[in-house]
Amino acid sequence: MDSLIIKLSKTKTLWIRSGFWRGLKIITARLFVFAKLLCVQDGEVLFITGGVGDSALYRTHNVAEELREHGFKASVTISDNPFLVGLAKKYKIFIFHRTIFNDKVEKMIREIKKNKKEIIFDTDDLVYDPKFSPFMDYFQEMSPSEQEPYKKGIGTEIVRDPYVKTCTTITSFLAQLLKKEGKNVFVVPNKFSNAELKFTQELSNKRKSDDGVVRIVYASGTISHNKDFATIKDALLLVAKKHKNVRYIFMGPLDIPSELTELKDQVELIPFSPRKEFFTKLSEMDINLAPLEQENPFCQSKSAIKFTEAGALAIPTIAVNNRTFSEAIDDGVDGFLAATTDEWIEKISNLIENRKLRQQIGKKAQEKVLKKYSNKNSNNLEYYEYLRSKL
């Protein structure tokens, strides 16, 4: 029931913010994915996810493809699958991602334990630990019934089960916290699937004409990024006043501060889009921004996908100088890091004024994404060997 409440609430919010027809298109696509996840064949590794959005895409579908690239028989299903419990007999390794602990999940885990099979807990943020819920920007916006699963922790019962010895996650920050839970942890970065990598490379090969306008994008994947965006508001205002050829494109769910909306012809708002539309629009940009609150542990747990998604399209990123982005970006080589308003202004301005620099940094970012963040070139050998030891 808790899982259904969260899904219905997120669907309603997405529909309202995206507009009727765009929202209908996105939701129809997700229902199609949901239907496909109900039918899975026998195999070795089964991912069980609580959703069908981008988080599930990166942490289950894309990782399953990565494992198939290395010889594993991997599939994905959803925790709301009415046949979930029966799948415990068909696989040897079970990886639970953002899974609310309901009756079906509990019965499935009981069956897995009975047969002494492997359970792995996967997380891409801190929702598994209820003490971090207040750090979620959108938590206070939820109704009491929506808040309830987060107050309990999504997947807490799984990660704190003594039977579960191993976790996978996306960042060294999260890995450190999971190790404090006494777990064996593998960092499995978010990577591009083969299909999306091919699509983004095709888009990046289409040369953009230089019309004199420098398009700077901030893409918000969820409604939880208002405070993150606020950290660079002053920098964006000052840059826009100095550079009249700048146009800001804000994509996805975001409450734009009134000071920025008053820039009128320098601001464009684009609702949340399906992924192909998102990448197509992103490919038209010149500079990508990735701000986060620096002292917020929930933000510190976030992955570097804002860098990798832009990098796949050879678009340079300026990101907050935190642990995750400093591990992903070589400052001044394949991207830029900024910690203060002055640094944001300086580095945005440098890229605005130097088209050749934008191209150079973007190309280096693309090379890094292909090498380190694609299933095509994945080589997490220690993780693969661990899985093989459990088959």
Side-chain angles (χ1 to χ4, degrees), residues 74-90:
S75 300
V76 181
T77 192
I78 195 159
S79 58
D80 290 324
N81 189 334
F83 312 109
L84 189 67
V85 179
L87 296 175
K89 298 177 182 178
K90 297 185 176 183

Side-chain angles (χ1 to χ4, degrees), residues 353-364:
E353 294 163 5
N354 192 332
R355 185 168 185 257
K356 186 176 180 180
L357 180 64
R358 296 199 299 268
Q359 293 172 335
Q360 175 186 318
I361 298 292
K363 186 64 177 175
K364 287 291 185 182

Side-chain angles (χ1 to χ4, degrees), residues 319-334:
V320 63
N321 191 356
N322 68 4
R323 178 169 169 174
T324 296
F325 281 112
S326 64
E327 289 175 351
I329 294 173
D330 188 357
D331 189 28
V333 176
D334 48 36

Side-chain angles (χ1 to χ4, degrees), residues 18 32 39 66 78 141 148 167 169 178 191-192 243 249 279 282 312 314 318 331 335 355-356 362 369 372 386:
S18 301
F32 177 73
C39 304
E66 176 184 350
I78 195 159
E141 309 277 332
E148 198 58 34
C167 297
T169 192
L178 289 166
K191 301 184 188 74
F192 274 91
H243 300 277
I249 290 84
F279 281 118
L282 186 61
I318 305 169
D331 189 28
R355 185 168 185 257
K356 186 176 180 180
V369 169
K372 294 187 63 176
Y386 177 81

Side-chain angles (χ1 to χ4, degrees), residues 9 314 379:
S9 172
N379 61 350

Side-chain angles (χ1 to χ4, degrees), residues 216-218 228-240 242-243 248 287-294 306 316-322 325 329 335-352:
I216 302 177
V217 64
Y218 172 71
D228 298 328
F229 181 74
T231 63
I232 61 169
K233 179 193 70 174
D234 292 342
L236 297 187
L237 283 168
L238 289 167
V239 167
K242 180 180 178 182
H243 300 277
Y248 294 128
I287 301 168
N288 176 57
L289 306 178
L292 286 170
E293 289 184 275
Q294 286 187 292
K306 281 186 169 58
T317 292
I318 305 169
V320 63
N321 191 356
N322 68 4
F325 281 112
I329 294 173
F336 288 105
L337 301 170
T340 66
T341 296
D342 286 344
E343 286 183 357
W344 279 99
I345 293 170
E346 176 192 350
K347 295 186 177 187
I348 294 173
S349 296
N350 283 346
L351 285 176
I352 291 170

